[in-house]
Amino acid sequence: MRVLIINHYAIPPTEPGGTRHHSLAKELVSRGHEVAIVAASFHHMTRRRRPEADNSCWFFESIDGARFVWLRVPAYQGNSVARVWNMIVFALRTLGLLRSHDMECPDVVIGSSPHLFAAWAGERLAQCYGVPFVLEVRDLWPETLVRIGKMPRWHPLVLLMSMLERWLYRRASRIITLLPGASKYIASKGVPSEHIVHIPNGTDFSLAAKPAMPPAESRATFIYVGAHGVANALDTVLEAACILRDKGYDSLRFRFVGDGPEKSRLRDKASRIGFQNVVFDDPVPKGQVYSEIAKADAGLLVMRDSPLYDWGMSTNKIFDYMASARPVIFSGNTPYDIVRSAGCGFSVPAEDAAGLAEAIEAFLQLPKAERIEMGLRGRRYVEENHNFSILASKLEQLLREVLEAQPKD
């Protein structure tokens, strides 16, 4: 079958960020399917545009058998009006692909959030092609804007997104959710529960090689990999580091790898506090992230205290840590706590710096053999539940069912 995926932020593993659709596409291609991925040429994390995009509205690139269609969109900084315009232009240029003679008619279209303009463009393409539309919900929009972005429900953008959300739920043949509990939220909008399928994030084990042993250094390193945004609550880590320093843990090292609107402020805060053991590094391509994690003793995952996480979380970094066989120290509030389920680390409440410091101290007191076994439990859990090879099989089955349910001419 021919599968067309619309994901504004899709990237290959040569760039930093989430590579979910590249990994799924690579698996589907290996099974004889054709996959095209429509994405933006402007990288959300690095704020750089692919140079090929300077000459045309779109261009094509084959990566691991999948066909990437890069659309030129305007640049932006931070969560501004310019970013909303970037989203709208992406949606309009996606619709413009109907005029391209280089695009073959797909058998099914997948439109992926987080922002719903991209998913809307996917539904419109499916309608024009006369093929089924599958909606993938990676983040709950506009609920994220309200719960994390603190936008009032009467804000025009929230009202527009709310109407678009319900419209897409009605138009989709099936809805894929990455969040384990989001089916309850989506069903509350009138969607039959049998139309909702949970296909979480995962790990591409062709990138995550056999895990390396923890560093032999006496100086323990804790790593955070990913976005530096409001939702990531990274102040909690700096405050926990202060507590640990005051308790005499002067040799600990905290490493932040990634980028985002909060990074500059966090770096300034660390400098004001006088931390010499906090390092802020640039984001690294997905293909290199596992080697960076291997240099640390444990991974850090911190989240805001928000009812948004009552439906679960789909963060990539936790699977990267677990696939690297590194214990995870998690600060967050969710009934779907993977760290606790896998027994691969410590869990404390969200935005609890004292609790996070206590968890780090408890980790440091573990014998090395127990740390290694804790990390290996996480690796086994990901291999069994979040291997993209397994997840691609689930997606393939879903798409076959959607196509079989289509009325025959």
Side-chain angles (χ1 to χ4, degrees), residues 52-69:
E52 301 93 331
D54 292 334
N55 301 319
S56 62
C57 290
W58 59 70
F59 65 97
F60 301 89
E61 183 179 12
S62 179
I63 303 176
D64 293 326
R67 193 184 199 203
F68 274 75
V69 185

Side-chain angles (χ1 to χ4, degrees), residues 49-95:
R49 178 182 284 117
R50 288 174 171 268
E52 301 93 331
D54 292 334
N55 301 319
S56 62
C57 290
W58 59 70
F59 65 97
F60 301 89
E61 183 179 12
S62 179
I63 303 176
D64 293 326
R67 193 184 199 203
F68 274 75
V69 185
W70 300 108
L71 304 185
R72 188 179 185 205
V73 293
Y76 63 89
Q77 294 291 328
N79 295 322
S80 60
V81 173
R83 184 179 180 187
V84 177
W85 177 238
N86 169 280
M87 297 174 184
I88 293 171
V89 170
F90 176 82
L92 295 176
R93 292 228 157 121
T94 298
L95 293 179

Side-chain angles (χ1 to χ4, degrees), residues 220-236:
T221 298
F222 298 87
I223 192 169
Y224 171 86
V225 178
H228 294 43
V230 173
N232 306 110
L234 293 177
D235 288 277
T236 308

Side-chain angles (χ1 to χ4, degrees), residues 80-123:
S80 60
V81 173
R83 184 179 180 187
V84 177
W85 177 238
N86 169 280
M87 297 174 184
I88 293 171
V89 170
F90 176 82
L92 295 176
R93 292 228 157 121
T94 298
L95 293 179
L97 291 173
L98 289 167
R99 302 193 306 271
S100 173
H101 298 297
D102 294 319
M103 290 292 294
E104 294 187 70
C105 177
D107 296 310
V108 61
V109 176
I110 301 174
S112 183
S113 66
H115 76 77
L116 299 180
F117 297 127
W120 170 80
E123 192 283 330

